[in-house]
Amino acid sequence: MSFADDLGGADGLTEPQRALVRQLAAVTVESEKLQSAIVRGEAVDHETLVRLTNLHARLLKQLGVKPTGKQRRRSQADIFSGRGVAA
């Protein structure tokens, strides 16, 4: 799944939207690199992480991507039988 898929697919995007998706992907990668460094106990520039996180949120909003996961609701049968939800 990609950001373009969340917008209906790459084929339906305008060139400015494609540019924003590429920028969003790059910001996501850089942010995840910094977060991984934190997990490894490495020193990071927290101001840079905050700036990337803010830029990420602004790009998501500008593109109209909702940062919520797609989760299937459990049916009553699932609830009463004690079954979980298949992914």
Side-chain angles (χ1 to χ4, degrees):
M1 185 58 99
S2 71
F3 294 119
D5 291 337
D6 290 340
L7 296 167
D11 293 338
L13 298 179
T14 65
E15 194 54 41
Q17 287 173 317
R18 289 174 196 257
L20 287 173
V21 166
R22 286 190 298 269
Q23 185 177 7
L24 178 57
V27 167
T28 300
V29 168
E30 291 304 311
S31 177
E32 288 179 357
K33 284 182 187 177
L34 288 175
Q35 292 172 27
S36 294
I38 290 171
V39 170
R40 290 189 304 270
E42 299 172 9
V44 299
D45 181 355
H46 292 284
E47 184 176 334
T48 300
L49 181 57
V50 169
R51 289 175 186 260
L52 286 171
T53 301
N54 289 337
L55 177 56
H56 187 270
R58 287 193 308 272
L59 289 168
L60 284 172
K61 184 175 181 180
Q62 191 172 358
L63 283 166
V65 175
K66 303 290 184 208
T68 57
K70 294 178 183 173
Q71 191 173 36
R72 188 175 83 80
R73 294 184 60 162
R74 291 173 46 178
S75 70
Q76 285 183 345
D78 290 337
I79 293 168
F80 291 122
S81 71
R83 291 186 303 228
V85 176

